């Protein structure tokens, strides 16, 4: 459930980096790798007569309204999410299929309520990661994430086993690591950007809300499909639910490794589209898709063999391991499809094609929801994975359809195909 929530949060704030790249270009901060002769003018050279260190530090900072807007929206959304999860956790768990007399209810309620306290830090950190990616700085978010993960890994056994807090300790450790990550990102970002705009009127809420509503519709569609699959698994019992959650976490985590490609492609494509460097757009889109597919093939082998021989790492219950073995073929075989779907998200976001990604995802969700309900009732555990395979395949097909048909921001491809054929 937490993986699905984080994916939804990323989708809500993902266009911040695209807007940031476009803002930078409008102000003359263009990509150094571009060979477009119509690049925006670079900012004037700094005054070499300045002898003040403080002045030079100030010159390094940028006042970018989208950065402040993204952070404020992230914090507000995080607070709203925290309040909602805390006061409606039992209701949400019931919707997920956890019955009032289920042994899963009490620990799940405690874990979700405590993890909700980290929502403001999570969304604020995601907003700041988007800002760094807009600067094409992926090292700082990686550093902050690694530090947070190390803190989480160290605190988990201490809180869970030494202090004997159990699942509550796991939640506390995760929340602490999230706030550390947010603090690290904030300190580094404050050195690059003036985070407080001159006045409240400079905040660009309208610009964010324009695409935010479309991304919200997409987020709801994505989250509902995966949440429904988990709910159908919960209705099969505790053992199928345990096996499904293990398989789902591996399925999503391995595929989300493609986020690195998606983020890099998104940032470069946003810059290239803003500069109208369509040669670079074509080259970048083709390369990230090729790399995504190859990575997916590698993950297919790695995940398949890893789960087959290492299922005992996740559970010692023979019934759970048996069900995991049933899900392994689906998890392994769909890795190339998942990889393409995630990379295509980044490609379409880089093209600022938010309307298409939202509407197509709603259509995919409508078909997938029907498939999940029908297949879960007729084929049980296997049926859920068949439905999820259909869901990801449709995501990949709709993701590449825009480029294949040469529509929307990819209209320039039609001119190339017609000129090459003639």
């Amino acid at each position: 459930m937490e993986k699905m929530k984080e994916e939804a949060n990323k989708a809500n704030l993902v266009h911040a980096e695209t807007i940031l790249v476009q803002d930078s270009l409008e102000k003359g901060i263009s990509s150094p790798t571009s060979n477009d002769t119509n690049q925006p003018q670079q900012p004037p050279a700094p005054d070499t007569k300045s002898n003040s260190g403080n002045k030079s530090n100030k010159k390094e900072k940028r006042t970018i309204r989208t950065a402040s807007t993204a952070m404020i929206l992230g914090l507000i959304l995080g607070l709203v999410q925290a309040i909602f999860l805390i006061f409606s956790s039992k209701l949400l768990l019931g919707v997920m299929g956890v019955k009032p007399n289920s042994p899963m209810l009490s620990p799940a309620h405690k874990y979700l309520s405590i993890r909700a306290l980290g929502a403001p830090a999570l969304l604020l950190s995601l907003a700041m990661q988007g800002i760094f990616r807009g600067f094409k700085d992926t090292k700082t978010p990686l550093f902050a994430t690694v530090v947070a993960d190390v803190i989480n890994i160290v605190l988990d056994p201490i809180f869970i086993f030494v202090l004997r807090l159990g699942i509550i300790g796991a939640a506390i450790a995760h929340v602490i690591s999230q706030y550390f990550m947010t603090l690290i990102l904030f300190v580094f970002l404050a050195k690059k950007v003036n985070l407080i705009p001159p006045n409240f009127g400079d905040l660009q809420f309208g610009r964010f809300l324009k695409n935010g509503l479309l991304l919200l519709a997409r987020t709801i569609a994505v989250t509902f499909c995966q949440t429904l699959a988990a709910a159908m698994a919960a209705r099969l019992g505790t053992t199928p639910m345990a096996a499904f959650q293990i398989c789902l976490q591996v399925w999503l985590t391995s595929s989300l490794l493609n986020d690195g490609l998606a983020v890099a492609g998104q940032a470069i494509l946003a810059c290239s589209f803003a500069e109208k460097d369509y040669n670079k757009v074509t080259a970048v889109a083709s390369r990230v898709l090729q790399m995504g597919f190859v990575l997916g093939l590698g993950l297919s082998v790695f995940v398949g063999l890893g789960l087959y021989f290492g299922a005992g790492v996740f559970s010692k219950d023979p019934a759970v391991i048996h069900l995991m073995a049933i899900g392994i073929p689906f998890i392994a075989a769909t890795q190339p499809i998942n990889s393409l779907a995630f990379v295509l998200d980044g490609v379409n976001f880089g093209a600022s094609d938010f309307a298409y990604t939202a509407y197509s995802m709603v259509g995919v969700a409508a078909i997938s929801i029907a498939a999940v309900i029908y297949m879960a009732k007729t084929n049980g555990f296997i049926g859920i994975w068949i439905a999820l395979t259909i869901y990801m395949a449709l995501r990949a097909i709709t993701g590449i359809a825009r480029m294949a048909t040469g529509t929307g921001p990819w209209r320039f491809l039609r001119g190339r195909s017609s000129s090459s054929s003639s």
Side-chain angles (χ1 to χ4, degrees), residues 280-303:
K280 190 174 182 180
V281 168
T282 306
V284 171
S286 300
R287 182 55 58 88
V288 295
L289 288 174
Q290 292 168 2
M291 294 175 67
F293 184 71
V294 172
L295 179 58
L297 292 176
L299 286 172
S300 181
V301 176
F302 177 78
V303 170

Side-chain angles (χ1 to χ4, degrees), residues 6-245:
E6 290 180 16
E7 183 179 340
N9 292 335
K10 289 178 183 178
N12 271 332
L13 297 169
V14 71
H15 68 294
E17 58 202 85
T18 302
I19 295 176
L20 186 62
V21 170
Q22 294 170 345
D23 277 359
S24 298
L25 286 166
E26 289 169 4
K27 295 175 182 180
I29 308 168
S30 63
S31 169
T33 61
S34 173
N35 57 3
D36 191 347
T37 56
N38 294 322
Q39 293 184 41
Q41 295 297 316
Q42 296 292 331
D47 186 1
T48 56
K49 295 182 180 181
S50 174
N51 57 3
S52 172
N54 292 333
K55 287 183 179 180
S56 67
N57 287 335
K58 287 183 180 178
K59 288 179 181 178
E60 293 176 0
K61 286 191 174 184
R62 307 175 189 177
T63 300
I64 302 178
R65 294 172 294 176
T66 50
S68 299
T69 307
M71 292 178 66
I72 292 174
L73 282 176
L75 183 60
I76 292 173
L77 289 173
L79 291 171
V80 171
Q81 186 181 75
I83 294 171
F84 176 75
L85 289 175
I86 290 172
F87 289 101
S88 61
S89 55
K90 283 189 176 181
L91 176 63
L92 291 174
L93 290 170
V95 173
M96 290 289 294
V98 181
K99 298 178 181 179
N101 58 351
S102 172
M104 294 187 290
L105 179 61
S106 178
H109 174 249
K110 293 177 182 177
Y111 183 83
L112 185 58
S113 299
I114 296 174
R115 280 293 303 271
L117 298 175
L122 174 62
L123 268 79
L124 184 56
S125 67
L126 288 173
M128 289 189 286
Q129 287 180 48
I131 295 169
F132 278 110
R133 290 166 180 172
F135 291 139
K136 297 184 181 178
D137 177 3
T138 55
K139 293 182 180 179
T140 302
L142 176 62
F143 170 74
T145 302
V146 170
V147 171
D149 287 343
V150 171
I151 292 173
N152 194 7
I153 292 171
V154 171
L155 292 181
D156 265 338
I158 296 175
F159 288 160
I160 296 173
F161 302 112
V162 178
L163 300 180
R164 298 182 179 180
L165 294 176
I167 196 167
I168 295 177
I172 294 173
H174 199 95
V175 170
I176 291 174
S177 68
Q178 284 179 330
Y179 277 96
F180 264 99
M181 178 170 61
T182 302
L183 178 62
I184 293 170
L185 290 171
F186 185 86
V187 171
F188 278 93
L189 187 61
K191 296 177 181 179
K192 290 188 173 185
V193 178
N194 291 316
L195 299 177
I196 305 299
N199 55 69
F200 188 80
D202 286 336
L203 296 175
Q204 297 184 323
F205 288 114
R207 193 175 183 185
F208 272 79
L209 291 176
K210 177 182 177 181
N211 293 321
L213 292 176
L214 293 171
L215 287 173
L216 178 61
R218 180 188 180 277
T219 297
I220 293 173
V222 171
T223 307
F224 191 81
C225 286
Q226 297 176 6
T227 303
L228 178 63
M232 299 304 289
R235 285 170 169 80
L236 297 176
T238 55
T239 299
M241 180 60 175
F244 176 79
Q245 282 299 328

Side-chain angles (χ1 to χ4, degrees), residues 313-328:
V313 174
F314 298 97
S315 176
K316 301 299 182 183
D317 189 327
V320 173
I321 294 177
H322 172 70
L323 285 176
M324 287 176 60
I326 295 175
I328 288 175

